[in-house]
Amino acid sequence: LGDLLGRELALADEFHGRSLAELRQSLAEAHPSAAADLLSARVRACVNDALVNDSHVVSVGDQIALLPPVSG
């Protein structure tokens, strides 16, 4: 995802108060080449260093990281 979207993105104010699912959907629409990964349940979201689910609501100042599947 970092190669397709860049390592860091600044979110517009419109995303604050919306769920991670809505954020993922908006990013997928804006970046079709990354849509499959952005919408995959295998890619987990971390907000402010805590794993969260897609119903988590984004707040001002949140740092969001999307983590690829890990095997080992």
Side-chain angles (χ1 to χ4, degrees):
L1 286 172
D3 291 339
L4 294 171
L5 303 176
R7 299 284 178 210
E8 292 186 22
L9 296 173
L11 298 179
D13 289 339
E14 68 189 67
F15 290 111
H16 304 299
R18 298 174 93 186
S19 71
L20 279 172
E22 292 172 304
L23 171 64
R24 286 180 187 244
Q25 184 62 44
S26 293
L27 287 172
E29 290 169 6
H31 303 277
S33 61
D37 290 327
L38 286 165
L39 300 175
S40 172
R42 294 182 57 197
V43 174
R44 299 291 312 269
C46 188
V47 176
N48 301 325
D49 297 324
L51 284 173
V52 297
N53 62 32
D54 279 351
S55 65
H56 180 87
V57 175
V58 177
S59 299
V60 174
D62 279 351
Q63 182 178 15
I64 302 165
L66 297 176
L67 308 173
V70 179
S71 65

